[in-house]
Amino acid sequence: MSAIDWLPAAVRAAAIERTLKAGQTLFRRGNRTSGLYEIVEGQVRLVRVNRTGREAVLHVATAGDTMAEASLFSASYHCDAIAATDAVVRLYPKAAILAEFDRNPKAARKFATVLARQVMTLRTRLEQRNIRAARDRVRHYLAINADADGRTVALSGTLKDVASELGLTHEALYRTLADMAADGEIERRRGAIRVLKAAI
Amino acid sequence: MSAIDWLPAAVRAAAIERTLKAGQTLFRRGNRTSGLYEIVEGQVRLVRVNRTGREAVLHVATAGDTMAEASLFSASYHCDAIAATDAVVRLYPKAAILAEFDRNPKAARKFATVLARQVMTLRTRLEQRNIRAARDRVRHYLAINADADGRTVALSGTLKDVASELGLTHEALYRTLADMAADGEIERRRGAIRVLKAAI
DNA sequence: CGGCGTTTTGAGAGAGCTCAACATCGGTGG
DNA sequence: CCACCGATGTTGAGCTCTCTCAAAACGCCG
């Protein structure tokens, strides 16, 4: 679900677009929070920098993602945001959002709904990463993303994208899919996979 | 943050405790949603069952966790919840929560805050899992969980717990820590780790 | 002291990663 | 229409790293 789908029109109207060069800083830890960002294009890295200078990546947000939701409820940012590539971001000012939430409880509830869904999805993806074997991880992915019929899985984006969502190299994914197809467990189609039989 | 810390007293007063035997069902997909659960004791598995009978674990909630936040905004559950062990859960009825949110915007905002923080934490943990090498993953963990001084990391729970949070076997973690200590990168203390020098 | 869970160390195997080469496909421009 | 180009898709071979299984030391608590 993109920000466009759930942010009230009043807030969307207040959005400010900004263009970033690769390596450019969007905000730094300790800065006063300005609001919620949506990535329109490119990638932005959220990074926590240690006093010792060590960096730890907290998240890499890509086109369509929103970022820094928690900053709505905090006075200052707790990490740095740096453009990983040339990027375009859209800022939804905090004041506009919070004002809208106060004025319009439905908007606030919608926001909570989106967050709760995200928590669910993220937990699921984390659970998926606990599965060691590539094949079982793919099965988990197929089971979760199956269509209503429980047999067809539409592939969003390229297989490389799926591989990185699964935490596998693209080679490993290709091989696994090829093996599963050879065993008759799945059938590969254009932009989709059909599950043929349930394995143990 | 435990549910006790952020749920308004009015809601906590309406809580209903329930005891489950291992294997017992708490709710099933399609059931009308009754509310938010907190695990008091034991473990509960959230599972999606395919039409083909295949199971996919979405999440394993353990003592202190809350569960099914998204169900507050949905008419029916989208997965099954089954006790993985003997367990005690606490139900915060949906009606009480939503009524409180309507009556008290501060409570609603608090809820959104908690969810936003969780999203942040989960994204970070997911990012961590993208790191292949055990040593780098441990470094990431240390960097994220460092104290204010940026050098000391207090260990919550046992090293086995940390290992499972990191997605490593406990053996792998012990070995990695031993190697890092031998290299002078860290120093091990009782219930804590001290980072001595930043590695590349 | 005995028992249980955590911590630690050992050895071996397997699975996925890495590097590499090639095929395929869609778009672009001559 | 065809050649070219970049990105995706595919397959091969070797290696490294973590997992697995195993066993023992350690620490805590009754």
Side-chain angles (χ1 to χ4, degrees):
Chain A
M1 186 181 294
S2 157
I4 297 172
D5 297 327
W6 58 268
L7 273 177
V11 172
R12 292 210 306 276
I16 301 164
E17 238 176 63
R18 188 169 159 197
T19 305
L20 298 167
K21 289 269 171 228
Q24 197 176 341
T25 298
L26 182 56
F27 57 75
R28 286 209 174 279
R29 178 180 202 164
N31 287 171
R32 285 237 318 274
T33 51
S34 41
L36 182 69
Y37 286 97
E38 179 188 3
I39 315 290
V40 178
E41 213 182 289
Q43 297 191 335
V44 176
R45 258 202 310 263
L46 291 176
V47 180
R48 179 160 309 158
V49 183
N50 232 353
R51 218 150 287 198
T52 64
R54 189 185 290 172
E55 271 196 4
V57 177
L58 302 181
H59 184 53
V60 180
T62 64
D65 291 348
T66 51
M67 203 177 92
E69 290 90 342
S71 74
L72 287 178
F73 309 109
S74 157
S76 62
Y77 290 107
H78 293 113
C79 60
D80 299 357
I82 298 166
T85 63
D86 288 358
V88 179
V89 300
R90 198 173 286 148
L91 169 65
Y92 297 103
K94 180 176 167 173
I97 295 179
L98 293 182
E100 182 65 18
F101 285 174
D102 282 342
R103 197 181 318 129
N104 176 6
K106 270 197 182 155
R109 183 165 293 192
K110 190 94 189 166
F111 183 63
T113 307
V114 171
L115 287 180
R117 290 245 174 78
Q118 265 191 52
V119 167
M120 202 177 61
T121 307
L122 287 167
R123 281 182 188 156
T124 299
R125 288 184 58 183
L126 210 45
E127 195 61 44
Q128 184 175 66
R129 296 298 184 96
N130 287 333
I131 303 171
R132 310 274 177 197
R135 195 156 182 166
D136 288 333
R137 204 180 285 184
V138 170
R139 283 181 185 137
H140 188 271
Y141 175 83
L142 294 175
I144 299 294
N145 297 81
D147 248 354
D149 66 356
R151 301 219 162 257
T152 314
V153 179
L155 297 177
S156 58
T158 67
L159 281 180
K160 285 184 86 164
D161 296 336
V162 175
S164 91
E165 181 180 333
L166 284 174
L168 295 172
T169 57
H170 59 279
E171 295 100 319
L173 177 60
Y174 291 137
R175 274 187 252 270
T176 305
L177 289 177
D179 289 348
M180 291 173 79
D183 291 352
E185 190 174 340
I186 61 169
E187 194 180 288
R188 307 201 38 194
R189 310 208 164 168
R190 283 185 55 80
I193 289 177
R194 207 172 150 69
V195 182
L196 297 181
K197 60 174 179 188
I200 307 138
Chain B
M1 186 180 295
S2 155
I4 297 172
D5 298 327
W6 59 268
L7 272 179
V11 172
R12 293 210 305 277
I16 301 164
E17 238 175 65
R18 187 169 161 196
T19 305
L20 299 167
K21 289 267 169 228
Q24 198 176 341
T25 298
L26 182 57
F27 56 75
R28 286 209 174 277
R29 177 180 204 164
N31 287 170
R32 284 238 316 276
T33 51
S34 41
L36 182 67
Y37 286 97
E38 179 189 3
I39 314 290
V40 178
E41 215 182 290
Q43 297 192 335
V44 176
R45 257 201 313 264
L46 291 175
V47 180
R48 182 161 307 158
V49 183
N50 232 352
R51 216 150 290 199
T52 64
R54 190 185 292 174
E55 270 196 4
V57 177
L58 302 180
H59 183 53
V60 181
T62 64
D65 292 348
T66 52
M67 189 178 104
E69 290 89 342
S71 74
L72 287 178
F73 310 109
S74 158
S76 62
Y77 290 106
H78 292 113
C79 59
D80 298 357
I82 298 165
T85 63
D86 288 358
V88 179
V89 300
R90 198 173 285 147
L91 168 66
Y92 298 103
K94 179 176 170 175
I97 296 180
L98 293 181
E100 182 65 17
F101 285 175
D102 281 343
R103 196 181 320 130
N104 176 5
K106 269 197 185 155
R109 184 165 293 190
K110 189 90 190 171
F111 182 63
T113 307
V114 171
L115 287 179
R117 291 245 175 79
Q118 264 191 53
V119 167
M120 203 177 61
T121 307
L122 287 166
R123 281 181 187 155
T124 299
R125 289 185 58 182
L126 208 48
E127 196 63 43
Q128 185 176 63
R129 297 299 185 95
N130 287 334
I131 303 171
R132 311 272 177 202
R135 195 158 183 162
D136 289 333
R137 204 179 285 182
V138 171
R139 284 182 183 135
H140 188 271
Y141 175 84
L142 294 175
I144 299 294
N145 296 81
D147 247 354
D149 66 355
R151 300 219 163 260
T152 313
V153 179
L155 298 177
S156 59
T158 67
L159 282 180
K160 284 183 87 167
D161 296 336
V162 175
S164 92
E165 182 180 332
L166 284 173
L168 295 172
T169 57
H170 59 279
E171 295 100 317
L173 176 60
Y174 291 135
R175 275 186 251 270
T176 305
L177 289 177
D179 290 348
M180 291 173 79
D183 292 351
E185 189 174 340
I186 61 170
E187 194 181 287
R188 307 197 43 191
R189 309 205 166 172
R190 283 185 54 82
I193 289 177
R194 205 173 154 70
V195 182
L196 295 181
K197 60 174 182 190
I200 306 138

